Amino acid sequence: EVLPFLLAGFRRDNPSVTIELVLSNRVEDLLRGEADIAVRMVRPIQQALVARQIGEVRLGLYAHRIYLKHSPAPKSLSQLTNDHALIGFDRETPFTRELLDRLPITRNHFALRTDSDLAHLAAVRAGVGIGFVQHGIAQRDPNLVSILPDEISLSLDMWLVLHEDLRASRRLRLMMDYLARGLGEYVATARL
């Protein structure tokens, strides 16, 4: 949702650079060469990595207008958990554990479970139920409606990460700088 637009601009400016895009919630091991550059939503802890904090990505609950046609928006957390189809995760991660600690939601509340962010977003857009969406992505879709914004708001730190041995690469430095600018603009404008 965000990276392809940035990569399109980078390719126009740098047509000789080949890009391989891997979308996953898995933290790729940059020390083993599984990726050259990573966009992470957790702070890197390995010593041999160069990390640049981009900013805070804000998320909220959203539903598509199609879903709200059949299930009016909840007015409280109790209505949310008792009367609505929630879209959530299948496997727990540190982020999802933190989420569950902050909200009165358990894994059992999820009517649809997926560990794919793209499937999660597609399910929200299809009207399956209510799910977490980045505000910046939701702002691009007038059919997504914010649910309980004063009660539920989350944020994730965004980091750009590179193995320190690769920072001498001109192409990778160009990509890091380009992504830092583009993702920084995205984070700065994605507010609710």
Side-chain angles (χ1 to χ4, degrees):
E1 290 289 318
V2 177
L3 284 176
F5 294 103
L6 296 177
L7 296 177
F10 184 82
R11 281 283 301 145
R12 281 190 296 275
D13 295 344
N14 303 279
S16 65
V17 175
T18 300
I19 299 168
E20 181 181 341
L21 178 62
V22 178
L23 300 175
S24 169
N25 286 340
R26 202 182 118 204
V27 177
E28 301 293 338
D29 189 342
L30 298 181
L31 298 179
R32 291 196 171 143
E34 291 180 359
D36 293 331
I37 297 174
V39 178
R40 292 193 177 160
M41 304 313 254
V42 294
R43 183 183 188 131
I45 56 172
Q46 294 169 305
Q47 294 290 331
L49 299 179
V50 176
R52 189 184 304 183
Q53 186 174 14
I54 301 301
E56 206 173 65
V57 176
R58 313 264 322 142
L59 297 97
L61 285 174
Y62 286 86
H64 195 278
R65 293 186 191 285
I66 293 169
Y67 175 82
L68 295 174
K69 226 186 243 189
H70 306 287
S71 300
K75 305 269 189 255
S76 68
L77 286 172
S78 174
Q79 280 185 347
L80 174 72
T81 56
N82 293 323
D83 303 335
H84 287 275
L86 300 180
I87 301 165
F89 58 88
D90 186 35
R91 287 182 222 116
E92 276 195 25
T93 65
F95 167 71
T96 57
R97 275 191 294 282
E98 180 184 327
L99 170 69
L100 293 178
D101 288 344
R102 293 167 44 180
L103 298 174
I105 298 172
T106 68
R107 185 177 177 277
N108 294 331
H109 286 107
F110 300 141
L112 184 137
R113 297 180 190 132
T114 179
D115 291 325
S116 164
D117 291 340
L118 292 175
H120 183 108
L121 179 59
V124 171
R125 284 182 170 151
V128 171
I130 298 171
F132 282 97
V133 178
Q134 293 179 19
H135 292 316
I137 293 171
Q139 289 169 352
R140 297 174 179 177
D141 188 337
N143 289 309
L144 294 182
V145 176
S146 180
I147 303 296
L148 300 173
D150 295 330
E151 296 184 51
I152 298 176
S153 180
L154 300 171
S155 62
L156 298 170
D157 286 332
M158 181 186 286
W159 296 83
L160 266 179
V161 187
L162 172 77
H163 190 292
E164 68 182 358
D165 290 347
L166 298 176
R167 74 172 139 191
S169 165
R170 182 177 181 276
R171 289 183 305 187
L172 292 177
R173 273 196 334 271
L174 282 171
M175 177 65 85
M176 282 284 284
D177 291 343
Y178 193 90
L179 289 175
R181 276 191 307 277
L183 291 171
E185 290 170 12
Y186 167 74
V187 167
T189 60
R191 305 274 181 226
L192 180 66

